[in-house]
Amino acid sequence: MKTEIRSLNNTGLATFSSWLEDPSGRAPIQILNDVAFTEAVDGGYMVDLSRTFATSYHFGEYLAMEVFPSDVDRFSLLANAGMWSWLSLAFINSLLKKGGVGAGKPLAKPHYILQSPRLAYRLIGRTAWDLVNLHGEAAKIALGSLRSPWGEMAEQMTARQEIYAHRSFWPVANALYSAPNGIPKRGATSQRTTKARQDPRNQAGLGGVRRLPLTFKQFERTYNLRKMTDEQILALLPKEYQRWLAS
């Protein structure tokens, strides 16, 4: 059964926020269609509240392919913070920790409620829709984790504005760091430590996703990467990246 998307008002946001701070009981999904906690959203967008999603990529794919039309005003939709919080609550069971310590509990509040423009990229539903809308299947590298709705790869690839919407960056990152099952390869998000830099034989962090934005920035002084294919860019990459293509 489909339900029309609404927006959490200040009362609804406060109710959801309180549960996120102390998720000892069930999420307050009873407020989703209550006019005391929500407001109407222009567009008449409908969602199936019975749907569940194994990954944030699948959630974003559903929103991009089945909920919001391709010609929707992107910036107007991104700006509707209350609507994204409503969607966070509506699909909260797909957006909780998947395993380990705290399994079944929510992540930090900015992943569900917009708390500041600086942290808008961490709002899972909003960013999942936007990335699939911008990059298609290449967005899976950031959103395809089966272990968490927001893994370290998502953080690294969305926190930097210069690569967030870079249409050439995402296919290259996907080719380098995506395993055959779509999840990030082990070690792809590792940081190059001081100890590793002092040992020429230590490859930890080399060619990882933390270094790729810098490589792109250096290349863009000479090449127009936005007009090149991912194959052309991959052929230009320094030797440190080759091990990721071979793995």
Side-chain angles (χ1 to χ4, degrees):
M1 181 178 177
K2 290 194 173 183
T3 299
E4 189 168 352
I5 292 176
R6 297 182 64 80
S7 173
L8 293 184
N9 59 21
N10 288 337
T11 305
L13 287 169
T15 300
F16 188 24
S17 178
S18 293
W19 179 81
L20 290 170
E21 292 171 1
D22 181 21
S24 53
R26 292 186 61 194
I29 58 174
Q30 72 276 3
I31 73 173
L32 289 172
N33 291 304
D34 191 325
V35 295
F37 298 87
T38 65
E39 300 171 350
V41 170
D42 292 338
Y45 308 119
M46 307 292 289
V47 288
D48 183 351
L49 296 183
S50 69
R51 295 283 295 268
T52 58
F53 305 95
T55 70
S56 296
Y57 171 77
H58 290 108
F59 183 36
E61 184 180 47
Y62 169 66
L63 295 176
M65 303 300 178
E66 300 185 43
V67 177
F68 299 118
S70 58
D71 61 349
V72 71
D73 185 325
R74 174 183 173 231
F75 294 105
S76 177
L77 209 61
L78 289 173
N80 195 335
M83 182 194 73
W84 293 112
S85 295
W86 186 96
L87 284 166
S88 297
L89 177 57
F91 293 97
I92 191 65
N93 288 335
S94 295
L95 303 176
L96 302 173
K97 294 180 181 179
K98 308 287 186 182
V101 178
K105 298 296 184 181
L107 303 174
K109 195 180 295 185
H111 292 301
Y112 310 101
I113 293 176
L114 181 64
Q115 295 194 291
S116 77
R118 184 176 61 85
L119 297 177
Y121 72 93
R122 288 184 177 167
L123 193 52
I124 298 172
R126 179 182 186 270
T127 294
W129 165 75
D130 198 30
L131 291 181
V132 173
N133 190 48
L134 289 170
H135 306 298
E137 193 171 353
K140 189 180 292 185
I141 183 60
L143 303 170
S145 173
L146 294 168
R147 294 176 292 189
S148 173
W150 190 264
E152 184 60 24
M153 185 64 83
E155 182 68 22
Q156 291 300 319
M157 293 188 67
T158 59
R160 297 180 175 93
Q161 285 300 309
E162 69 271 20
I163 65 171
Y164 181 98
H166 198 308
R167 294 186 183 274
S168 296
F169 183 92
W170 286 75
V172 171
N174 202 60
L176 288 170
Y177 310 122
S178 182
N181 61 358
I183 66 174
K185 295 175 182 176
R186 185 176 180 179
T189 61
S190 296
Q191 189 168 3
R192 185 79 170 154
T193 65
T194 301
K195 183 178 179 180
R197 288 196 295 269
Q198 293 172 347
D199 181 0
R201 296 171 298 177
N202 191 324
Q203 294 187 325
L206 282 177
V209 72
R210 294 172 184 264
R211 292 171 64 86
L212 189 59
L214 178 59
T215 300
F216 260 64
K217 186 175 182 179
Q218 291 171 335
F219 279 175
E220 286 185 320
R221 297 171 182 169
T222 306
Y223 303 97
N224 187 347
L225 297 183
R226 295 176 188 272
K227 291 189 176 181
M228 296 174 65
T229 67
D230 49 326
E231 290 85 2
Q232 290 172 325
I233 297 172
L234 287 166
L236 288 175
L237 292 178
K239 186 178 179 180
E240 67 176 278
Y241 293 94
Q242 298 311 306
R243 69 189 184 100
W244 294 104
L245 285 172
S247 62

